[in-house]
Amino acid sequence: MLEQDRFLHGFALLLCICLGSLLSGIAVSEIPLGSKLSVGESNSWVSSNGDFAIGFYNFPDQPKQFSVGIRFNSKSVPVDKQTVVWVAGGDVTVGNNSYFQLQENGELVLFDALQGEEVWTSKTSQLSVALAVLRDDGNLVLLNENRDVIWQSFDSPTDTLLPGQRLSTFRTLRAASQNYVSSLYSLYMNVSGQLQLRWESSIIYWSAGRPSHSNLSAVLSSDGSLQLVALNLERFWSVFGEDHNDTVRFRFLRLDVDGNLRLYSWMEVSQTWRSVWQAVENQCNVFATCDQQGICAFNASGSHVCTCPFHHAVQSNSKCLVSSQHDCKPGSIMVEHANMFLYGIYPVHDFISLTSLDKCKSMCLSDPSCTAVTFTNDGSAKCRMMKTQYVSGYSDPSLSATSFVKRCSDPLAADPIFPLKSPLQAYKEPYNICIPCLVGAASGTIFVFIVIQLGMGFYLYKRKNIYRRLASLAHSRPGSKCLIILSFTEIKELTGNFSDQIGPKMFKGALPDKQPVAVKELEGTIEARKFRAAVSKVGSIYHKGLAKLEGYCCEFDHRYLVYEYAENGSLDKYIENPTLAERLTWRKRMDISLSVGRAIFYLHTECREFLCHGNLKCENVVLDENFEAKVKEFGLGMLYGEASSRRASAQKDVEDFGKMVLTLVSGFKEVKDVLDWAYKEWMEGNPENVVDKRLKNEVDAEELECALRIAFWCLQADERVKPSMGEVVKVLEGTLPADPPPPPFSCLISAREVEDTSESGSEV
């Protein structure tokens, strides 16, 4: 009996220990307020089943830059194969001694010790968060006292979907920004029920589903299928991996840096992640696979490679550009490339027409701006004309496409160079040498040389610290995700002590690698913490239509922004100057409108967080060396504490865009002075009267009608009927019709009439 009691007592004790261990595991997965992860401690929060963990990580090539991410943590997956599936803030990186904390107010915060500021937050401080939990499916959630989900990482995906995670309408996966090209690839779920792989926001190179259903979501199932499902879980489309229904413990769907979407499964036997499905079977069909390294082709082993067929001389291996046709005095020839399809990438929109091969070739040869053409005859004879040096594409023996690339004729055959004198004429009589003259000249030269060397040595000694730092910054710039942080002394060094002013509080400068930059001076009263937070957010954004922020200065009362430099300056001066306005052809004005529209649309919907411009106008649009438009000074409203709702901010950008379009059409800067007149002329069937008189007879009537309609819609006084920037871009692209707009000022007139009536009534 005693032994039985002893056994029962021991069993109860063992049971208590087991239960205690189990409860302890559950407690570990629950993250209380105040919990913190830090770079120095290398600690992490782990899910209750141990399959996932969140903590700091970095890459071998960036040992001093850290990100916070959720990764696989199972013991069955080796450490070097524990893939990251979610990153706080997307591409945000921080330095040593930084931390990630669930604060007492319920907000997740990523704090960068190097900059001394918060660089990412969950924005949940006012939502009564009680705790956080890293769930067994890899979802980090914030819960209130009732265990309701307040915020979850599954709603803010980066480049990966886990089983059970939904990619709902308007959500985006974006490839990791390992380089500036990969950051342009995205997976987007549109409102019509289509899943799309896109380059920038305009090129769709793969899509799934039919554009006839709304409120669909993309979901990765645990059995290895990607599905498009409705809210009631009805399935409208699905695709299956090679190991569908096999017993696989871990899966994930990722948009890789090469622009392809792949489904991965963990292979226990080989201890590797294996791709069991990819969206684009032929990698060469992924838009801009080779970017500026040439065209895509397959080698003997079946791997895709980038080759450069355009070079007829030894050139740099870093870029494969079509030869420039400027200064082509001997004339041009067309070089034929069989079984090759080409397209322009900067810009991406080529001119396509239906014609014959010979006509296609001659059209390019006679057009000075044409660089290459591709003729395809796979059902319809299409001629694709490119007007850019940035040409990419793919080559395959099975392709029914022929391309022609323009280059200069042989200069030796067209412009021979003859010797100016015969050997006999070149012969000269000997002459006497003056020895004292030579000694004096040599002594003077040596003295001047020593003086110059001493002066240069003293100058270099004074600036060596600045130069070394700037040189190191320039060396580290390619591929770097970080902004350059400069002192005020370095800003003066870059700009030559502000000697070259190119605009109001704007100066031209140059980095040590000779890259020109534009330096913008801001008010020194801007709070340092707010300034650094804003520029960190703006600096992480890249888009072809946005002027890239390269760095900044925040020292004492000095606040400067360093942008990429645009060779042709602001759009504003081309509108005001009669001579320069001639360069703004109708075609260029429409291209600028579309480019700016796409850039603002990108800010509104395709950044990881909504961002408005807040001050869109011609002064804040610059033109680069190719006369391509870039929007600058976006997001600066954050610096001045301009807080408004997302809807109001977006509508402000839409209204400003409408003013810009009307300015480009009419040539008048102050739109408020011509809005009534322009609408009246349009209503009376005389839209051509609104067109800038400096334009020649080159205006396209359909484009003019489209531009005026969308401008009037953007300028509607009733904010409820204003279009979104997405709708604006589609109208300008010609993929969405625009109805005739009502008077933009109708609501304003009504308000004035009411005001006048009330005033007259009070007088009576």
Side-chain angles (χ1 to χ4, degrees):
M1 189 68 178
L2 182 62
E3 289 181 2
Q4 185 177 2
D5 291 340
R6 191 175 296 170
F7 171 78
L8 291 174
H9 183 271
F11 179 77
L13 180 61
L14 181 62
L15 182 62
C16 289
I17 292 173
C18 292
L19 287 173
S21 300
L22 181 62
L23 291 173
S24 176
I26 294 173
V28 169
S29 68
E30 294 189 352
I31 305 160
L33 299 179
S35 299
K36 179 188 291 187
L37 302 175
S38 63
V39 172
E41 295 180 8
S42 300
N43 51 344
S44 60
W45 299 329
V46 184
S47 62
S48 62
N49 63 1
D51 286 348
F52 294 93
I54 180 170
F56 282 96
Y57 73 94
N58 64 351
F59 295 103
D61 59 336
Q62 297 174 332
K64 296 184 180 180
Q65 295 181 24
F66 299 87
S67 296
V68 171
I70 298 173
R71 58 176 172 80
F72 287 101
N73 188 60
S74 173
K75 293 181 180 179
S76 63
V77 181
V79 174
D80 61 334
K81 302 291 178 64
Q82 292 179 349
T83 304
V84 176
V85 296
W86 179 82
V87 182
D91 297 324
V92 173
T93 58
V94 295
N96 287 320
N97 303 317
S98 300
Y99 63 82
F100 183 68
Q101 185 178 27
L102 177 59
Q103 295 183 334
E104 295 293 342
N105 62 3
E107 189 165 59
L108 283 170
V109 170
L110 178 58
F111 183 85
D112 185 6
L114 184 64
Q115 299 185 33
E117 64 188 13
E118 298 170 359
V119 293
W120 179 85
T121 73
S122 60
K123 299 181 180 178
T124 52
S125 59
Q126 306 296 322
L127 301 180
S128 303
V129 173
L131 76 160
V133 175
L134 180 57
R135 290 181 168 170
D136 291 345
D137 57 1
N139 189 12
L140 178 65
V141 299
L142 300 182
L143 307 175
N144 60 16
E145 292 289 352
N146 298 325
R147 312 291 288 192
D148 299 322
V149 175
I150 302 300
W151 176 94
Q152 56 182 340
S153 60
F154 270 18
D155 286 342
S156 304
T158 48
D159 64 349
T160 303
L161 284 186
L162 289 170
Q165 184 176 3
R166 284 174 172 257
L167 185 71
S168 55
T169 304
F170 299 128
R171 297 289 184 183
T172 301
L173 293 188
R174 191 169 299 281
S177 299
Q178 291 189 7
N179 53 65
Y180 78 95
V181 178
S182 68
S183 65
L184 300 180
Y185 290 116
S186 63
L187 177 70
Y188 180 72
M189 190 72 219
N190 74 6
V191 70
S192 300
Q194 272 195 314
L195 191 62
Q196 301 172 337
L197 281 175
R198 306 193 301 185
W199 192 79
E200 288 195 319
S201 60
S202 55
I203 298 298
I204 300 171
Y205 55 91
W206 178 86
S207 62
R210 297 179 180 177
S212 57
H213 302 285
S214 58
N215 295 323
L216 297 187
S217 299
V219 179
L220 175 63
S221 67
S222 58
D223 62 3
S225 66
L226 177 62
Q227 306 172 358
L228 294 183
V229 298
L231 296 177
N232 60 1
L233 300 183
E234 180 183 359
R235 186 168 62 187
F236 287 87
W237 174 89
S238 61
V239 68
F240 305 96
E242 297 172 9
D243 59 354
H244 176 243
N245 278 334
D246 289 355
T247 302
V248 176
R249 187 175 178 187
F250 299 119
R251 303 181 192 270
F252 66 85
L253 183 78
R254 183 173 65 197
L255 178 57
D256 288 325
V257 294
D258 62 4
N260 215 332
L261 181 68
R262 294 182 177 90
L263 173 59
Y264 290 92
S265 296
W266 176 249
M267 301 289 105
E268 293 285 356
V269 177
S270 60
Q271 292 284 282
T272 57
W273 291 103
R274 183 168 72 93
S275 173
V276 295
W277 173 84
Q278 65 182 39
V280 186
E281 288 299 325
N282 185 341
Q283 181 62 35
C284 287
N285 287 333
V286 173
F287 194 86
T289 286
C290 289
D291 188 44
Q292 298 177 37
Q293 279 72 51
I295 66 163
C296 185
F298 286 89
N299 57 21
S301 63
S303 301
H304 77 276
V305 293
C306 296
T307 61
C308 186
F310 311 139
H311 292 167
H312 56 279
V314 178
Q315 297 187 15
S316 169
N317 291 325
S318 62
K319 291 184 179 181
C320 178
L321 306 183
V322 175
S323 301
S324 173
Q325 296 304 303
H326 307 303
D327 306 326
C328 198
K329 297 178 181 178
S332 300
I333 61 173
M334 302 298 290
V335 180
E336 181 176 346
H337 298 276
N339 309 116
M340 183 184 294
F341 184 88
L342 300 178
Y343 50 79
I345 52 176
Y346 300 110
V348 298
H349 294 283
D350 305 327
F351 174 73
I352 300 175
S353 60
L354 300 177
T355 185
S356 65
L357 184 146
D358 291 337
K359 181 67 174 176
C360 182
K361 179 180 175 181
S362 62
M363 282 170 57
C364 183
L365 195 58
S366 61
D367 188 338
S369 61
C370 177
T371 56
V373 288
T374 289
F375 177 80
T376 56
N377 194 3
D378 50 359
S380 60
K382 289 183 180 179
C383 178
R384 176 182 294 267
M385 182 184 294
M386 288 138 270
K387 297 187 177 184
T388 173
Q389 283 188 274
Y390 300 94
V391 173
S392 188
Y394 52 92
S395 176
D396 190 276
S398 64
L399 277 178
S400 60
T402 303
S403 295
F404 298 91
V405 178
K406 186 189 291 184
R407 72 174 177 86
C408 291
S409 304
D410 188 351
L412 295 178
D415 188 17
I417 302 174
F418 297 102
L420 297 178
K421 293 185 178 181
S422 67
L424 290 176
Q425 289 174 314
Y427 176 77
K428 294 184 178 179
E429 292 294 330
Y431 50 87
N432 295 326
I433 299 175
C434 176
I435 301 299
C437 297
L438 289 176
V439 172
S443 301
T445 301
I446 293 172
F447 176 76
V448 172
F449 178 76
I450 292 173
V451 171
I452 292 174
Q453 290 297 312
L454 289 173
M456 289 185 65
F458 177 73
Y459 174 72
L460 292 174
Y461 175 78
K462 280 187 65 179
R463 59 174 285 190
K464 69 176 181 178
N465 290 332
I466 297 174
Y467 183 83
R468 285 176 180 173
R469 170 172 153 72
L470 291 176
S472 65
L473 287 170
H475 179 72
S476 65
R477 286 185 66 254
S480 174
K481 299 177 184 178
C482 295
L483 292 170
I484 304 174
I485 305 174
L486 301 163
S487 67
F488 179 62
T489 304
E490 291 164 345
I491 289 289
K492 290 199 296 183
E493 187 74 25
L494 290 179
T495 59
N497 201 20
F498 309 105
S499 58
D500 189 357
Q501 186 166 357
I502 56 177
K505 295 188 176 182
M506 182 72 77
F507 305 89
K508 184 179 180 181
L511 297 174
D513 61 358
K514 307 302 181 184
Q515 178 188 345
V517 290
V519 180
K520 172 75 173 180
E521 181 183 4
L522 300 177
E523 295 177 9
T525 56
I526 301 173
E527 182 185 347
R529 181 174 177 273
K530 183 184 295 183
F531 179 81
R532 291 193 181 98
V535 296
S536 295
K537 183 175 180 180
V538 172
S540 65
I541 296 171
Y542 176 83
H543 184 271
K544 178 176 171 289
L546 297 172
K548 190 176 189 306
L549 183 65
E550 302 282 6
Y552 68 93
C553 169
C554 182
E555 183 181 81
F556 304 112
D557 59 345
H558 301 295
R559 304 287 184 269
Y560 291 90
L561 297 176
V562 181
Y563 289 99
E564 66 172 307
Y565 180 71
E567 184 67 33
N568 284 305
S570 72
L571 176 61
D572 182 55
K573 69 179 184 181
Y574 288 86
I575 296 292
E576 293 182 334
N577 189 303
T579 303
L580 293 177
E582 294 180 1
R583 297 186 64 186
L584 283 182
T585 62
W586 175 258
R587 176 77 271 125
K588 181 52 63 180
R589 296 185 192 214
M590 292 299 98
D591 289 345
I592 290 172
S593 298
L594 184 55
S595 179
V596 172
R598 285 174 175 156
I600 301 302
F601 173 62
Y602 179 86
L603 291 177
H604 286 188
T605 63
E606 303 208 3
C607 294
R608 298 200 184 278
E609 296 182 37
F610 169 82
L611 190 67
C612 71
H613 188 287
N615 191 29
L616 182 63
K617 53 186 177 180
C618 292
E619 291 93 322
N620 287 332
V621 175
V622 291
L623 305 173
D624 65 12
E625 64 276 9
N626 297 319
F627 236 63
E628 299 293 332
K630 290 182 179 288
V631 179
K632 66 174 184 175
E633 299 187 25
F634 51 93
L636 296 192
M638 295 182 292
L639 299 177
Y640 300 99
E642 297 174 4
S644 59
S645 70
R646 173 172 176 164
R647 177 179 174 84
S649 300
Q651 289 176 345
K652 172 68 164 59
D653 282 352
V654 169
E655 180 178 332
D656 289 344
F657 181 78
K659 293 178 181 178
M660 179 177 295
V661 171
L662 197 52
T663 294
L664 286 167
V665 170
S666 67
F668 291 102
K669 272 196 67 178
E670 296 300 326
V671 171
K672 62 182 180 180
D673 297 335
V674 299
L675 177 56
D676 295 6
W677 163 78
Y679 185 81
K680 182 174 180 292
E681 291 288 346
W682 174 77
M683 281 291 293
E684 293 176 354
N686 303 312
E688 66 279 359
N689 292 345
V690 183
V691 177
D692 191 343
K693 298 300 182 288
R694 296 170 294 186
L695 285 172
K696 309 301 181 185
N697 297 325
E698 53 177 317
V699 178
D700 185 288
E702 290 186 6
E703 288 183 331
L704 173 60
E705 179 71 14
C706 172
L708 287 176
R709 285 192 180 193
I710 199 60
F712 294 144
W713 274 116
C714 291
L715 292 168
Q716 290 293 310
D718 187 351
E719 295 182 346
R720 295 169 298 179
V721 299
K722 283 183 180 178
S724 67
M725 283 308 302
E727 293 170 322
V728 169
V729 169
K730 288 181 179 179
V731 169
L732 292 176
E733 289 176 338
T735 59
L736 183 70
D739 294 331
F745 43 84
S746 58
C747 291
L748 296 178
I749 290 177
S750 300
R752 289 171 190 162
E753 288 175 350
V754 171
E755 185 177 332
D756 293 342
T757 303
S758 62
E759 287 179 359
S760 61
S762 61
E763 290 175 2
V764 173

